[in-house]
């Protein structure tokens, strides 16, 4: 009986679990509610377990159903990846390599990867977007870009697959002429909250309701990292910055590194990741580009 379990049954099970009702699942996968109900009843019969408790107004996952849901998702995702990789092999070399990259990513590494692909794939043009937060994720989700390099928005949507790259060194800095620069030792969050924090803002809604390192109610939101850098040096506020962008300023004394009391290491590393759609993995040029970034 178990050998007869189909991928269609597993997708129906996943849809019903995620949507909370058989009718909503039917709308999602474009099947009649009766078909969804019958498909799940057959699946339960084949598995020999009850996946849903149907005594209430809406079906609820049983303990067995919750335990098997993770496995069902793994099987479905693996099949999606299998088909996507086969499709990529069939398509061959991609006609264009489109990449959205987090503004925090070091240009040196990006330039090295682009230079390698320019030599190895001379007939594959590069299209590059530099964004922050959800601005990196959105073009990958909507298919504008095939590859995304993320950092400032750590949450990865379910539609995307991620691969770790490295951790980027991060520091909290302030102008040497700013009042916070005169404080010796770790600075309390109470003191920080009295001063303007300079932070990047999201051009999309993907980070709505999420707080990434915001410690002051007084914030200036900037859509450009260059503007944030300039405003920090001008003494308009304090903020978190990638070390490679402010290392010279710190060495010259223009900017001063400050340490947040109780959070001495929390903002010292920014994990960078590569993401792409599960149903559209990178082709040969994109794969080589990612390998160079690593």
């Amino acid at each position: 009986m178990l050998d007869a379990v189909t991928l269609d049954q597993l997708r129906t099970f996943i849809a019903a679990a995620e949507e909370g009702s058989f009718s909503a699942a039917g709308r999602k996968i474009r099947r009649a509610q009766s078909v969804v109900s019958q498909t799940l009843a057959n699946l339960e019969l084949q598995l020999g377990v009850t996946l849903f408790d149907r005594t209430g107004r809406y079906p609820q996952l049983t303990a067995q159903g919750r335990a098997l849901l993770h496995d069902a998702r793994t099987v479905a995702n693996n099949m999606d990846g299998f088909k996507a990789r086969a499709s990529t092999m069939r398509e061959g070399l991609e006609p264009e390599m489109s990449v959205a990259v987090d503004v925090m990513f070091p240009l040196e590494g990006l330039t090295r990867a682009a230079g390698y692909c320019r030599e190895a794939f001379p007939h594959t043009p590069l299209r590059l977007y530099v964004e922050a937060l959800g601005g990196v994720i959105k073009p990958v989700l909507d298919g504008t870009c095939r590859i995304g390099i993320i950092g400032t928005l750590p949450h990865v949507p379910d539609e995307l697959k991620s691969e770790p790259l490295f951790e980027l060194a991060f520091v909290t800095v302030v102008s040497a002429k700013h009042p916070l620069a005169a404080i010796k030792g770790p600075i309390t969050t109470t003191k920080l909250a009295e001063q303007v924090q300079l932070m990047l803002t999201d051009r999309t809604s993907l980070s709505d309701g999420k707080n990434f390192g915001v410690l002051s109610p007084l914030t200036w939101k900037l859509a450009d990292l260059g503007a944030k850098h300039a405003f920090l040096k001008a003494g308009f506020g304090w903020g978190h910055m990638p070390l490679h962008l402010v290392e010279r300023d710190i060495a010259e004394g223009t900017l001063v590194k400050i340490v947040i009391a109780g959070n001495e290491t929390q903002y010292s590393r920014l994990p960078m990741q590569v993401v792409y759609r599960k149903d559209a993995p990178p082709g040969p040029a994109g794969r080589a580009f990612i390998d160079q970034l690593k």
Side-chain angles (χ1 to χ4, degrees):
M1 295 287 283
L2 290 177
D3 289 340
V5 172
T6 67
L7 187 61
D8 179 69
Q9 289 175 317
L10 295 183
R11 292 194 191 282
T12 303
F13 170 40
I14 294 168
E18 292 179 344
E19 298 301 313
S21 74
F22 294 169
S23 58
R27 289 191 294 272
K28 181 176 182 178
I29 61 177
R30 299 181 180 179
R31 302 280 179 83
Q33 179 180 344
S34 59
V35 175
V36 171
S37 297
Q38 187 59 50
T39 299
L40 293 173
N42 290 339
L43 177 60
E44 289 175 321
L45 181 62
Q46 290 169 255
L47 295 176
V49 300
T50 301
L51 300 173
F52 290 95
D53 178 356
R54 297 168 173 80
T55 58
R57 181 178 180 184
Y58 295 105
Q60 299 291 324
L61 280 172
T62 63
Q64 293 171 315
R66 286 192 296 272
L68 288 173
L69 180 60
H70 172 75
D71 293 331
R73 284 176 172 146
T74 299
V75 172
N77 286 337
N78 286 342
M79 180 55 70
D80 289 340
F82 175 80
K83 293 191 293 185
R85 282 190 292 274
S87 176
T88 298
M89 291 176 184
R90 184 176 65 247
E91 293 171 0
L93 185 65
E94 56 265 57
E96 177 185 74
M97 186 166 60
S98 50
V99 181
V101 59
D102 196 292
V103 67
M104 300 292 184
F105 195 86
L107 282 178
E108 180 183 353
L110 190 65
T111 303
R112 182 181 62 252
Y116 174 85
C117 290
R118 179 174 178 268
E119 295 296 325
F121 305 96
H123 301 297
T124 302
L126 171 67
R127 179 155 51 98
L128 183 70
Y129 296 82
V130 180
E131 292 285 352
L133 297 163
V136 184
I137 293 283
K138 187 176 183 301
V140 181
L141 286 173
D142 64 24
T144 302
C145 290
R146 198 155 186 176
I147 299 170
I149 306 170
I150 67 171
T152 49
L153 184 66
H155 173 68
V156 179
D158 291 338
E159 301 95 318
L160 304 183
K161 179 177 176 58
S162 67
E163 297 181 22
L165 288 176
F166 55 83
E167 290 190 337
L168 188 67
F170 235 54
V171 290
T172 305
V173 294
V174 70
S175 168
K177 57 189 176 184
H178 190 278
L180 291 177
I183 300 176
K184 304 300 181 182
I187 300 175
T188 65
T189 53
T190 301
K191 284 291 184 182
L192 289 173
E194 296 173 357
Q195 303 292 334
V196 170
Q197 180 177 357
L198 303 178
M199 55 183 290
L200 289 179
T201 188
D202 199 343
R203 303 177 195 267
T204 75
S205 60
L206 292 175
S207 64
D208 286 354
K210 298 179 178 65
N211 182 339
F212 302 118
V214 180
L215 300 175
S216 173
L218 309 172
T219 59
W220 283 16
K221 298 180 180 181
L222 312 169
D224 179 75
L225 186 62
K228 180 179 178 180
H229 190 185
F231 282 16
L232 282 167
K233 291 197 292 184
F236 295 162
W238 63 272
H240 311 300
M241 287 288 285
L243 178 60
H244 68 274
L245 287 181
V246 296
E247 202 163 15
R248 175 178 293 182
D249 299 311
I250 294 173
E252 295 175 349
T254 307
L255 291 176
V256 175
K257 178 181 175 181
I258 59 175
V259 177
I260 303 170
N263 295 276
E264 284 82 358
T265 60
Q266 183 175 351
Y267 305 108
S268 62
R269 295 286 171 181
L270 180 69
M272 306 299 296
Q273 305 175 73
V274 167
V275 296
Y276 46 83
R277 289 186 62 94
K278 292 177 181 176
D279 59 357
R287 188 70 259 170
F289 183 80
I290 293 172
D291 291 342
Q292 287 298 307
L293 294 177
K294 294 181 177 180

